[in-house]
Amino acid sequence: MRTLSLIALSLIFSSQIYAAGRTPPAQPNIILFVTDDHGLDALGCYGNPVIKTPNMDQLAADGVRFTRAYCTSASCAASRSVILTGKFGHATGSYGHVHDYHHFSTFDTVKSLPVLLAEAGYETARIGKYHVAPESVYLFNTVLKEDPRSTVAMAEKCEDVIDGSKPFFLYFCPDDPHRGHPFTPDPWDAPNSFGNRPEGYPGVTTVKYDPAKVLVPPFLPDTKECRAELAEYYQSISRIDQGLGKLQELLNKAGKTDNTIIIYISDNGIAFPGAKTTVYEPGIKLPCIVKDPRTDLKGAVNNSMVSWVDLTPTILDFAGVDFQASEFHGRSFLPILGKKDSKDWNTIYATHTFHEITMYYPMRVVRDGDMKLIWNIAYGLKYPFASDLWAASTWQSVYRNKGEYFGHRKVQDYLYRAEFEFYDLAKDPEESDNLALKPEYAKQLQAMKDKMKAFQTDTNDPWQIIWGNKSKMQGTGVNL
Protein backbone atom coordinates (compact mmCIF):
# COMPACT_ATOMS: atom_id res chain seq x y z
CA MET A 1 0.00 0.00 0.00
CA ARG A 2 1.05 3.60 -0.46
CA THR A 3 2.53 5.46 2.44
CA LEU A 4 0.25 7.83 4.30
CA SER A 5 2.10 10.83 2.87
CA LEU A 6 1.37 9.70 -0.71
CA ILE A 7 -2.32 9.29 0.09
CA ALA A 8 -2.40 12.76 1.62
CA LEU A 9 -0.69 14.29 -1.39
CA SER A 10 -3.15 12.63 -3.76
CA LEU A 11 -6.08 14.01 -1.75
CA ILE A 12 -4.56 17.49 -1.86
CA PHE A 13 -4.05 17.15 -5.61
CA SER A 14 -7.67 16.13 -6.20
CA SER A 15 -9.05 19.01 -4.16
CA GLN A 16 -6.82 21.55 -5.87
CA ILE A 17 -7.20 20.90 -9.57
CA TYR A 18 -10.27 18.79 -10.23
CA ALA A 19 -13.42 20.75 -10.96
CA ALA A 20 -15.92 21.04 -8.14
CA GLY A 21 -18.28 18.08 -7.99
CA ARG A 22 -16.20 15.99 -10.40
CA THR A 23 -14.65 12.71 -9.30
CA PRO A 24 -11.82 11.48 -11.51
CA PRO A 25 -12.38 7.92 -12.78
CA ALA A 26 -10.23 5.34 -11.01
CA GLN A 27 -8.66 4.02 -14.20
CA PRO A 28 -8.18 6.55 -16.98
CA ASN A 29 -6.70 5.52 -20.31
CA ILE A 30 -3.06 6.57 -20.64
CA ILE A 31 -0.99 7.21 -23.78
CA LEU A 32 2.76 7.59 -23.32
CA PHE A 33 4.03 9.08 -26.58
CA VAL A 34 7.84 8.77 -26.75
CA THR A 35 9.70 10.19 -29.72
CA ASP A 36 13.28 9.32 -30.63
CA ASP A 37 15.91 12.10 -30.40
CA HIS A 38 13.53 15.07 -30.27
CA GLY A 39 15.15 18.04 -28.56
CA LEU A 40 13.55 20.94 -26.75
CA ASP A 41 14.66 23.09 -29.69
CA ALA A 42 11.98 22.02 -32.16
CA LEU A 43 8.42 22.51 -30.91
CA GLY A 44 6.29 25.56 -31.47
CA CYS A 45 4.97 25.51 -27.90
CA TYR A 46 8.55 25.68 -26.59
CA GLY A 47 9.31 28.82 -28.55
CA ASN A 48 10.39 27.77 -32.05
CA PRO A 49 8.47 30.04 -34.45
CA VAL A 50 9.58 28.18 -37.59
CA ILE A 51 8.60 24.56 -37.01
CA LYS A 52 4.99 23.53 -37.57
CA THR A 53 3.73 21.38 -34.68
CA PRO A 54 0.05 22.35 -34.31
CA ASN A 55 -0.97 19.15 -32.49
CA MET A 56 1.87 19.32 -29.99
CA ASP A 57 1.07 22.99 -29.46
CA GLN A 58 -2.61 22.19 -28.89
CA LEU A 59 -1.66 19.45 -26.42
CA ALA A 60 0.28 22.05 -24.44
CA ALA A 61 -2.65 24.49 -24.67
CA ASP A 62 -4.93 21.78 -23.25
CA GLY A 63 -2.57 20.61 -20.53
CA VAL A 64 0.68 21.26 -18.67
CA ARG A 65 4.02 22.09 -20.30
CA PHE A 66 7.08 21.34 -18.18
CA THR A 67 10.04 23.69 -18.74
CA ARG A 68 12.67 21.72 -16.78
CA ALA A 69 12.13 18.06 -17.63
CA TYR A 70 15.10 15.73 -18.01
CA CYS A 71 15.93 12.28 -19.22
CA THR A 72 18.52 10.48 -17.10
CA SER A 73 20.63 9.21 -20.00
CA ALA A 74 20.90 10.72 -23.47
CA SER A 75 20.91 7.33 -25.16
CA CYS A 76 17.85 5.56 -26.54
CA ALA A 77 17.85 2.15 -24.85
CA ALA A 78 19.25 3.32 -21.53
CA SER A 79 16.69 6.13 -21.36
CA ARG A 80 13.75 3.90 -22.23
CA SER A 81 14.66 1.42 -19.51
CA VAL A 82 14.37 4.26 -16.98
CA ILE A 83 11.06 5.47 -18.42
CA LEU A 84 9.53 2.01 -17.98
CA THR A 85 11.00 1.08 -14.58
CA GLY A 86 11.35 4.23 -12.48
CA LYS A 87 14.94 3.21 -11.73
CA PHE A 88 18.30 4.47 -12.97
CA GLY A 89 19.91 2.25 -15.59
CA HIS A 90 23.10 1.78 -13.60
CA ALA A 91 21.03 -0.02 -10.95
CA THR A 92 19.16 -2.32 -13.36
CA GLY A 93 21.99 -3.35 -15.66
CA SER A 94 20.61 -1.20 -18.48
CA TYR A 95 23.95 0.40 -19.29
CA GLY A 96 23.48 0.94 -23.04
CA HIS A 97 22.01 -0.43 -26.27
CA VAL A 98 20.25 -3.79 -26.24
CA HIS A 99 20.46 -4.69 -29.93
CA ASP A 100 23.09 -6.60 -31.91
CA TYR A 101 26.47 -7.06 -30.27
CA HIS A 102 25.83 -4.35 -27.64
CA HIS A 103 23.59 -6.77 -25.75
CA PHE A 104 22.91 -4.81 -22.58
CA SER A 105 19.84 -6.06 -20.73
CA THR A 106 17.79 -5.26 -17.64
CA PHE A 107 18.02 -7.63 -14.68
CA ASP A 108 15.16 -10.14 -14.81
CA THR A 109 14.13 -9.30 -11.22
CA VAL A 110 12.91 -5.84 -12.24
CA LYS A 111 9.15 -5.29 -12.49
CA SER A 112 8.29 -2.79 -15.21
CA LEU A 113 5.45 -0.33 -15.72
CA PRO A 114 3.48 -2.38 -18.31
CA VAL A 115 3.56 -5.45 -16.05
CA LEU A 116 2.35 -3.46 -13.05
CA LEU A 117 -0.46 -1.87 -15.08
CA ALA A 118 -1.52 -5.23 -16.55
CA GLU A 119 -1.80 -6.62 -13.02
CA ALA A 120 -4.07 -3.68 -12.20
CA GLY A 121 -6.47 -4.56 -15.03
CA TYR A 122 -5.09 -2.46 -17.88
CA GLU A 123 -4.83 -3.54 -21.49
CA THR A 124 -1.19 -2.73 -22.24
CA ALA A 125 -0.11 -2.23 -25.85
CA ARG A 126 2.98 -0.99 -27.59
CA ILE A 127 3.80 0.08 -31.12
CA GLY A 128 6.99 1.30 -32.74
CA LYS A 129 10.43 1.46 -31.19
CA TYR A 130 10.92 -0.97 -28.29
CA HIS A 131 14.69 -1.06 -27.66
CA VAL A 132 14.56 -2.63 -24.19
CA ALA A 133 15.26 -6.18 -23.04
CA PRO A 134 14.39 -8.78 -21.99
CA GLU A 135 10.81 -9.01 -23.17
CA SER A 136 9.89 -10.98 -20.05
CA VAL A 137 10.62 -7.83 -18.01
CA TYR A 138 9.04 -5.35 -20.45
CA LEU A 139 6.00 -7.45 -21.29
CA PHE A 140 2.98 -5.89 -23.01
CA ASN A 141 -0.30 -7.70 -23.59
CA THR A 142 -0.46 -6.54 -27.20
CA VAL A 143 2.30 -5.80 -29.69
CA LEU A 144 1.22 -3.83 -32.75
CA LYS A 145 3.29 -3.74 -35.94
CA GLU A 146 3.66 -0.82 -38.35
CA ASP A 147 6.40 1.14 -40.06
CA PRO A 148 7.68 3.25 -37.12
CA ARG A 149 8.32 6.18 -39.48
CA SER A 150 4.72 6.13 -40.71
CA THR A 151 3.15 7.87 -37.75
CA VAL A 152 -0.39 8.26 -39.07
CA ALA A 153 -0.49 4.56 -40.03
CA MET A 154 0.88 3.75 -36.56
CA ALA A 155 -2.00 5.64 -34.98
CA GLU A 156 -4.56 3.91 -37.18
CA LYS A 157 -3.15 0.53 -36.14
CA CYS A 158 -4.04 1.41 -32.51
CA GLU A 159 -7.77 1.83 -33.17
CA ASP A 160 -8.81 -1.55 -31.76
CA VAL A 161 -6.92 -0.88 -28.53
CA ILE A 162 -8.56 2.53 -28.22
CA ASP A 163 -12.00 1.07 -28.94
CA GLY A 164 -11.60 -1.76 -26.42
CA SER A 165 -13.68 -2.22 -23.30
CA LYS A 166 -10.77 -2.19 -20.84
CA PRO A 167 -8.79 0.85 -19.71
CA PHE A 168 -5.66 0.93 -21.84
CA PHE A 169 -2.03 1.94 -21.54
CA LEU A 170 -0.61 2.66 -25.00
CA TYR A 171 3.16 3.01 -25.40
CA PHE A 172 3.44 4.85 -28.72
CA CYS A 173 7.01 5.18 -30.01
CA PRO A 174 7.86 6.48 -33.50
CA ASP A 175 11.38 6.13 -34.87
CA ASP A 176 11.23 9.82 -35.79
CA PRO A 177 13.15 12.06 -35.66
CA HIS A 178 16.11 9.65 -35.29
CA ARG A 179 18.64 9.82 -38.11
CA GLY A 180 17.78 7.59 -41.06
CA HIS A 181 19.83 4.84 -42.67
CA PRO A 182 22.35 4.92 -44.23
CA PHE A 183 24.15 6.97 -41.58
CA THR A 184 27.13 7.61 -43.87
CA PRO A 185 26.02 9.94 -46.70
CA ASP A 186 27.26 9.84 -50.26
CA PRO A 187 28.57 12.41 -50.96
CA TRP A 188 29.84 13.17 -47.45
CA ASP A 189 28.17 16.59 -47.28
CA ALA A 190 24.66 15.36 -48.12
CA PRO A 191 22.17 15.81 -45.25
CA ASN A 192 20.81 12.77 -43.47
CA SER A 193 17.20 11.96 -44.35
CA PHE A 194 15.92 11.68 -40.75
CA GLY A 195 13.49 9.11 -42.14
CA ASN A 196 12.04 11.43 -44.77
CA ARG A 197 11.47 10.01 -48.24
CA PRO A 198 10.39 11.56 -51.56
CA GLU A 199 7.18 9.54 -51.81
CA GLY A 200 6.13 10.48 -48.29
CA TYR A 201 4.00 8.31 -45.99
CA PRO A 202 0.31 7.30 -46.04
CA GLY A 203 -1.97 9.95 -44.60
CA VAL A 204 0.89 12.37 -43.96
CA THR A 205 1.16 15.77 -45.60
CA THR A 206 4.86 16.37 -46.24
CA VAL A 207 6.04 19.60 -44.63
CA LYS A 208 9.37 20.84 -45.98
CA TYR A 209 11.56 23.56 -44.49
CA ASP A 210 13.93 26.09 -45.97
CA PRO A 211 17.44 25.52 -44.51
CA ALA A 212 17.97 29.29 -44.52
CA LYS A 213 15.11 29.73 -42.04
CA VAL A 214 15.77 26.99 -39.46
CA LEU A 215 17.06 28.01 -36.04
CA VAL A 216 20.61 26.87 -35.34
CA PRO A 217 21.12 26.24 -31.59
CA PRO A 218 24.30 27.78 -30.11
CA PHE A 219 25.92 24.38 -29.54
CA LEU A 220 25.85 23.65 -33.30
CA PRO A 221 27.86 25.28 -36.09
CA ASP A 222 25.95 27.64 -38.35
CA THR A 223 27.04 25.94 -41.58
CA LYS A 224 25.35 24.98 -44.83
CA GLU A 225 25.58 21.30 -43.86
CA CYS A 226 24.09 21.82 -40.42
CA ARG A 227 21.19 23.89 -41.73
CA ALA A 228 20.37 21.28 -44.36
CA GLU A 229 20.26 18.58 -41.69
CA LEU A 230 18.12 20.68 -39.36
CA ALA A 231 15.61 21.18 -42.18
CA GLU A 232 15.30 17.39 -42.56
CA TYR A 233 15.00 17.02 -38.78
CA TYR A 234 12.15 19.56 -38.73
CA GLN A 235 10.35 17.68 -41.52
CA SER A 236 10.52 14.46 -39.53
CA ILE A 237 9.03 16.19 -36.47
CA SER A 238 6.12 17.52 -38.51
CA ARG A 239 5.38 13.91 -39.44
CA ILE A 240 5.32 12.97 -35.75
CA ASP A 241 2.93 15.82 -35.09
CA GLN A 242 0.43 14.45 -37.62
CA GLY A 243 0.56 11.03 -35.96
CA LEU A 244 -0.29 12.68 -32.65
CA GLY A 245 -3.20 14.42 -34.34
CA LYS A 246 -4.50 11.13 -35.76
CA LEU A 247 -4.39 9.51 -32.30
CA GLN A 248 -6.50 12.35 -30.95
CA GLU A 249 -8.96 11.92 -33.81
CA LEU A 250 -9.37 8.25 -32.90
CA LEU A 251 -9.91 9.13 -29.24
CA ASN A 252 -12.64 11.58 -30.25
CA LYS A 253 -14.25 9.00 -32.50
CA ALA A 254 -14.28 6.45 -29.67
CA GLY A 255 -15.66 8.98 -27.18
CA LYS A 256 -12.60 8.60 -24.95
CA THR A 257 -10.98 12.01 -25.17
CA ASP A 258 -12.30 13.07 -21.77
CA ASN A 259 -10.85 10.05 -19.99
CA THR A 260 -7.47 9.66 -21.70
CA ILE A 261 -4.28 11.14 -20.31
CA ILE A 262 -1.60 11.90 -22.92
CA ILE A 263 2.05 12.34 -21.96
CA TYR A 264 4.41 13.53 -24.70
CA ILE A 265 8.18 13.16 -24.20
CA SER A 266 11.37 12.26 -26.07
CA ASP A 267 13.94 9.67 -25.02
CA ASN A 268 16.89 12.08 -25.44
CA GLY A 269 18.00 15.19 -27.24
CA ILE A 270 18.58 15.96 -30.91
CA ALA A 271 20.88 13.54 -32.80
CA PHE A 272 23.75 15.97 -33.28
CA PRO A 273 27.12 16.16 -31.51
CA GLY A 274 26.77 18.23 -28.35
CA ALA A 275 23.34 16.82 -27.54
CA LYS A 276 22.61 13.09 -27.95
CA THR A 277 24.98 10.84 -25.91
CA THR A 278 26.17 13.84 -23.86
CA VAL A 279 24.91 15.12 -20.52
CA TYR A 280 24.96 18.75 -21.61
CA GLU A 281 21.57 20.45 -21.46
CA PRO A 282 20.67 19.89 -25.16
CA GLY A 283 21.11 16.15 -24.62
CA ILE A 284 19.03 15.71 -21.48
CA LYS A 285 16.65 18.69 -21.13
CA LEU A 286 13.58 17.66 -23.11
CA PRO A 287 9.94 18.34 -23.93
CA CYS A 288 7.35 17.06 -21.49
CA ILE A 289 3.66 17.82 -22.04
CA VAL A 290 0.95 16.25 -19.90
CA LYS A 291 -2.72 16.50 -20.74
CA ASP A 292 -5.18 15.19 -18.18
CA PRO A 293 -8.63 16.18 -19.49
CA ARG A 294 -10.20 15.31 -16.13
CA THR A 295 -8.58 18.41 -14.61
CA ASP A 296 -9.08 22.12 -15.10
CA LEU A 297 -5.44 22.60 -16.11
CA LYS A 298 -5.18 24.22 -19.52
CA GLY A 299 -2.16 26.03 -20.89
CA ALA A 300 -0.35 25.62 -17.58
CA VAL A 301 3.42 25.94 -17.25
CA ASN A 302 5.31 23.92 -14.65
CA ASN A 303 8.89 24.93 -13.79
CA SER A 304 9.55 22.03 -11.42
CA MET A 305 12.52 19.82 -12.23
CA VAL A 306 11.17 16.40 -13.15
CA SER A 307 12.99 13.41 -14.56
CA TRP A 308 12.13 10.35 -16.61
CA VAL A 309 12.84 8.30 -13.49
CA ASP A 310 9.65 9.92 -12.13
CA LEU A 311 7.43 8.70 -14.97
CA THR A 312 6.63 5.16 -13.78
CA PRO A 313 5.46 6.23 -10.29
CA THR A 314 3.57 9.16 -11.83
CA ILE A 315 1.72 6.96 -14.32
CA LEU A 316 0.88 4.43 -11.60
CA ASP A 317 -0.49 7.34 -9.57
CA PHE A 318 -2.57 8.52 -12.52
CA ALA A 319 -3.90 4.97 -12.86
CA GLY A 320 -4.80 4.70 -9.19
CA VAL A 321 -2.43 1.78 -8.67
CA ASP A 322 -1.10 1.30 -5.15
CA PHE A 323 2.67 1.20 -4.85
CA GLN A 324 5.42 1.71 -2.31
CA ALA A 325 7.43 4.85 -2.94
CA SER A 326 10.60 3.02 -1.91
CA GLU A 327 10.25 0.68 -4.91
CA PHE A 328 11.40 3.44 -7.26
CA HIS A 329 14.24 5.92 -7.55
CA GLY A 330 11.81 8.52 -8.86
CA ARG A 331 8.63 9.93 -7.33
CA SER A 332 5.21 10.81 -8.64
CA PHE A 333 4.85 14.39 -9.86
CA LEU A 334 1.06 14.08 -9.94
CA PRO A 335 0.67 16.06 -6.68
CA ILE A 336 2.51 19.07 -8.14
CA LEU A 337 1.14 18.86 -11.69
CA GLY A 338 -0.86 22.05 -11.28
CA LYS A 339 1.82 24.05 -9.50
CA LYS A 340 3.98 26.50 -11.41
CA ASP A 341 6.92 26.19 -9.02
CA SER A 342 7.67 23.63 -6.31
CA LYS A 343 10.61 24.29 -4.02
CA ASP A 344 11.25 20.63 -3.25
CA TRP A 345 11.44 19.75 -6.98
CA ASN A 346 14.66 21.56 -7.73
CA THR A 347 17.21 18.75 -8.16
CA ILE A 348 17.75 16.12 -10.84
CA TYR A 349 20.38 13.47 -11.51
CA ALA A 350 21.65 12.00 -14.75
CA THR A 351 23.80 8.98 -15.44
CA HIS A 352 25.35 7.81 -18.68
CA THR A 353 27.68 4.84 -19.11
CA PHE A 354 27.46 3.47 -22.67
CA HIS A 355 25.68 4.24 -25.92
CA GLU A 356 27.18 1.65 -28.22
CA ILE A 357 29.31 -0.94 -26.39
CA THR A 358 32.46 0.54 -27.90
CA MET A 359 31.62 3.94 -26.39
CA TYR A 360 32.68 3.56 -22.77
CA TYR A 361 32.52 7.00 -21.20
CA PRO A 362 30.67 7.00 -17.86
CA MET A 363 29.33 10.36 -16.68
CA ARG A 364 27.34 11.29 -13.61
CA VAL A 365 25.41 14.54 -13.17
CA VAL A 366 23.68 16.45 -10.45
CA ARG A 367 21.81 19.65 -11.15
CA ASP A 368 20.71 21.53 -8.05
CA GLY A 369 18.89 24.72 -8.91
CA ASP A 370 21.08 26.54 -11.41
CA MET A 371 24.28 24.75 -10.40
CA LYS A 372 25.29 21.69 -12.40
CA LEU A 373 28.12 19.24 -11.80
CA ILE A 374 29.29 16.72 -14.40
CA TRP A 375 31.75 13.99 -13.38
CA ASN A 376 33.54 12.59 -16.43
CA ILE A 377 34.74 9.35 -14.84
CA ALA A 378 36.77 8.34 -17.91
CA TYR A 379 38.04 11.86 -18.54
CA GLY A 380 41.43 10.60 -19.72
CA LEU A 381 39.83 9.08 -22.79
CA LYS A 382 38.90 10.88 -25.98
CA TYR A 383 35.15 11.48 -26.02
CA PRO A 384 33.56 8.75 -28.18
CA PHE A 385 31.17 9.32 -31.07
CA ALA A 386 27.99 7.42 -31.87
CA SER A 387 28.33 6.03 -35.39
CA ASP A 388 25.51 8.18 -36.77
CA LEU A 389 26.86 11.38 -35.21
CA TRP A 390 30.41 10.83 -36.47
CA ALA A 391 29.23 10.32 -40.05
CA ALA A 392 26.88 13.31 -39.94
CA SER A 393 27.73 16.00 -42.46
CA THR A 394 27.28 18.55 -39.65
CA TRP A 395 30.27 17.08 -37.80
CA GLN A 396 32.26 16.18 -40.90
CA SER A 397 32.06 19.75 -42.22
CA VAL A 398 34.02 20.92 -39.16
CA TYR A 399 36.28 17.85 -38.89
CA ARG A 400 37.36 17.83 -42.54
CA ASN A 401 38.08 21.56 -42.50
CA LYS A 402 40.02 21.29 -39.21
CA GLY A 403 37.72 23.82 -37.61
CA GLU A 404 38.65 25.15 -34.17
CA TYR A 405 35.07 25.44 -32.96
CA PHE A 406 31.97 23.27 -33.10
CA GLY A 407 29.22 25.71 -32.20
CA HIS A 408 30.24 27.73 -29.14
CA ARG A 409 32.61 25.04 -27.85
CA LYS A 410 36.16 24.39 -29.01
CA VAL A 411 36.52 21.04 -30.77
CA GLN A 412 39.45 20.20 -28.49
CA ASP A 413 37.30 20.84 -25.39
CA TYR A 414 34.54 18.66 -26.79
CA LEU A 415 36.89 15.75 -27.44
CA TYR A 416 38.99 16.03 -24.26
CA ARG A 417 37.09 16.93 -21.13
CA ALA A 418 38.01 17.84 -17.59
CA GLU A 419 37.31 15.34 -14.82
CA PHE A 420 34.77 17.73 -13.32
CA GLU A 421 32.69 20.31 -15.13
CA PHE A 422 30.86 22.74 -12.87
CA TYR A 423 28.49 25.32 -14.31
CA ASP A 424 26.20 28.10 -13.13
CA LEU A 425 23.42 27.79 -15.70
CA ALA A 426 21.81 31.10 -14.68
CA LYS A 427 24.94 32.94 -15.82
CA ASP A 428 26.22 30.38 -18.32
CA PRO A 429 23.34 28.52 -19.98
CA GLU A 430 25.60 27.22 -22.74
CA GLU A 431 27.91 25.43 -20.23
CA SER A 432 31.03 27.20 -21.49
CA ASP A 433 32.68 28.47 -18.29
CA ASN A 434 33.93 25.57 -16.14
CA LEU A 435 34.02 26.74 -12.51
CA ALA A 436 35.56 23.53 -11.16
CA LEU A 437 39.11 24.91 -10.97
CA LYS A 438 38.19 28.34 -9.62
CA PRO A 439 39.10 28.61 -5.89
CA GLU A 440 36.09 30.78 -5.06
CA TYR A 441 33.79 27.89 -6.02
CA ALA A 442 35.65 25.17 -4.10
CA LYS A 443 33.10 24.99 -1.27
CA GLN A 444 30.13 24.78 -3.65
CA LEU A 445 31.93 22.19 -5.74
CA GLN A 446 32.56 19.98 -2.73
CA ALA A 447 28.90 20.23 -1.67
CA MET A 448 27.85 19.09 -5.12
CA LYS A 449 30.33 16.22 -5.06
CA ASP A 450 28.90 15.12 -1.71
CA LYS A 451 25.40 15.24 -3.16
CA MET A 452 26.54 13.14 -6.12
CA LYS A 453 28.19 10.56 -3.86
CA ALA A 454 25.02 10.26 -1.78
CA PHE A 455 22.97 9.76 -4.94
CA GLN A 456 25.29 7.03 -6.16
CA THR A 457 25.11 5.25 -2.81
CA ASP A 458 21.32 5.52 -2.62
CA THR A 459 20.88 4.08 -6.14
CA ASN A 460 23.53 1.34 -5.94
CA ASP A 461 25.71 2.82 -8.65
CA PRO A 462 28.67 0.46 -9.28
CA TRP A 463 30.79 3.47 -10.31
CA GLN A 464 30.72 4.89 -6.78
CA ILE A 465 33.80 2.72 -6.18
CA ILE A 466 35.90 5.14 -8.24
CA TRP A 467 35.74 7.80 -5.51
CA GLY A 468 38.75 7.73 -3.20
CA ASN A 469 41.01 5.92 -5.68
CA LYS A 470 39.33 2.60 -5.02
CA SER A 471 39.31 1.66 -8.69
CA LYS A 472 41.96 -1.00 -7.98
CA MET A 473 39.12 -3.05 -6.49
CA GLN A 474 37.36 -3.35 -9.84
CA GLY A 475 37.13 -6.86 -11.17
CA THR A 476 38.09 -8.54 -7.90
CA GLY A 477 34.83 -10.45 -7.79
CA VAL A 478 34.35 -9.58 -4.13
CA ASN A 479 30.79 -10.29 -3.04
CA LEU A 480 30.07 -7.68 -0.38
Side-chain angles (χ1 to χ4, degrees), residues 6 10 20 27 96 113 134 160 194 260-261 379 383-384 392 398 404 465:
L6 282 173
S10 293
Q27 290 188 307
L113 176 62
D160 287 346
F194 287 84
T260 300
I261 295 163
Y379 68 99
Y383 193 79
V398 173
E404 183 181 3
I465 201 171

Side-chain angles (χ1 to χ4, degrees), residues 340-408:
K340 185 175 183 180
D341 298 286
S342 300
K343 292 182 180 178
D344 60 340
W345 287 76
N346 206 34
T347 304
I348 62 96
Y349 299 92
T351 167
H352 183 103
T353 306
F354 286 92
H355 181 67
E356 299 164 22
I357 197 169
T358 52
M359 294 174 61
Y360 178 75
Y361 202 89
M363 299 171 283
R364 300 295 182 262
V365 176
V366 55
R367 177 173 174 182
D368 189 28
D370 289 320
M371 305 307 294
K372 179 178 178 180
L373 176 65
I374 300 173
W375 181 25
N376 295 309
I377 300 172
Y379 68 99
L381 301 177
K382 186 177 182 180
Y383 193 79
F385 274 83
S387 53
D388 58 334
L389 302 189
W390 170 261
S393 58
T394 295
W395 171 256
Q396 288 293 318
S397 64
V398 173
Y399 174 73
R400 288 168 180 258
N401 292 313
K402 295 181 171 55
E404 183 181 3
Y405 282 86
F406 185 84
H408 65 79

Side-chain angles (χ1 to χ4, degrees), residues 234-474:
Y234 280 23
Q235 182 178 330
S236 185
I237 291 167
S238 285
R239 184 164 60 253
I240 297 168
D241 187 78
Q242 293 178 55
L244 175 62
K246 175 55 71 171
L247 269 180
Q248 292 173 311
E249 284 181 26
L250 294 172
L251 288 172
N252 284 332
K253 180 181 175 184
K256 295 188 177 180
T257 297
D258 293 339
N259 190 33
T260 300
I261 295 163
I262 301 177
I263 302 172
Y264 183 95
I265 63 169
S266 172
D267 58 359
N268 52 248
I270 181 174
F272 284 72
K276 182 179 179 178
T277 77
T278 79
V279 290
Y280 295 128
E281 295 289 284
I284 61 175
K285 188 177 182 182
L286 301 173
C288 179
I289 306 170
V290 180
K291 176 192 173 186
D292 183 352
R294 307 167 305 160
T295 74
D296 293 330
L297 297 174
K298 291 187 182 298
V301 174
N302 192 313
N303 299 316
S304 304
M305 281 192 199
V306 298
S307 167
W308 290 182
V309 78
D310 300 320
L311 285 168
T312 282
T314 299
I315 290 170
L316 291 174
D317 220 1
F318 271 127
V321 178
D322 288 338
F323 63 92
Q324 298 237 353
S326 60
E327 294 174 357
F328 306 106
H329 295 147
R331 53 180 172 158
S332 170
F333 57 71
L334 177 59
I336 55 100
L337 186 63
K339 295 181 180 180
K340 185 175 183 180
D341 298 286
S342 300
K343 292 182 180 178
D344 60 340
W345 287 76
N346 206 34
T347 304
I348 62 96
Y349 299 92
T351 167
H352 183 103
T353 306
F354 286 92
H355 181 67
E356 299 164 22
I357 197 169
T358 52
M359 294 174 61
Y360 178 75
Y361 202 89
M363 299 171 283
R364 300 295 182 262
V365 176
V366 55
R367 177 173 174 182
D368 189 28
D370 289 320
M371 305 307 294
K372 179 178 178 180
L373 176 65
I374 300 173
W375 181 25
N376 295 309
I377 300 172
Y379 68 99
L381 301 177
K382 186 177 182 180
Y383 193 79
F385 274 83
S387 53
D388 58 334
L389 302 189
W390 170 261
S393 58
T394 295
W395 171 256
Q396 288 293 318
S397 64
V398 173
Y399 174 73
R400 288 168 180 258
N401 292 313
K402 295 181 171 55
E404 183 181 3
Y405 282 86
F406 185 84
H408 65 79
R409 188 174 279 111
K410 284 188 174 182
V411 171
Q412 188 72 4
D413 292 339
Y414 183 78
L415 297 178
Y416 296 97
R417 304 185 182 185
E419 181 177 11
F420 293 100
E421 298 179 67
F422 189 33
Y423 301 110
D424 182 346
L425 296 179
K427 300 176 182 176
D428 177 28
E430 304 305 331
E431 300 165 283
S432 299
D433 183 17
N434 186 3
L435 309 175
L437 297 179
K438 297 186 177 183
E440 61 268 33
Y441 289 93
K443 194 171 183 180
Q444 274 184 284
L445 176 62
Q446 187 57 51
M448 293 289 276
K449 287 181 180 179
D450 291 343
K451 190 179 286 285
M452 183 178 287
K453 291 177 186 178
F455 156 71
Q456 290 182 274
T457 300
D458 290 345
T459 59
N460 299 313
D461 183 0
W463 276 262
Q464 65 183 289
I465 201 171
I466 307 299
W467 292 104
N469 296 316
K470 295 178 182 177
S471 58
K472 63 184 180 181
M473 294 174 59
Q474 292 185 89

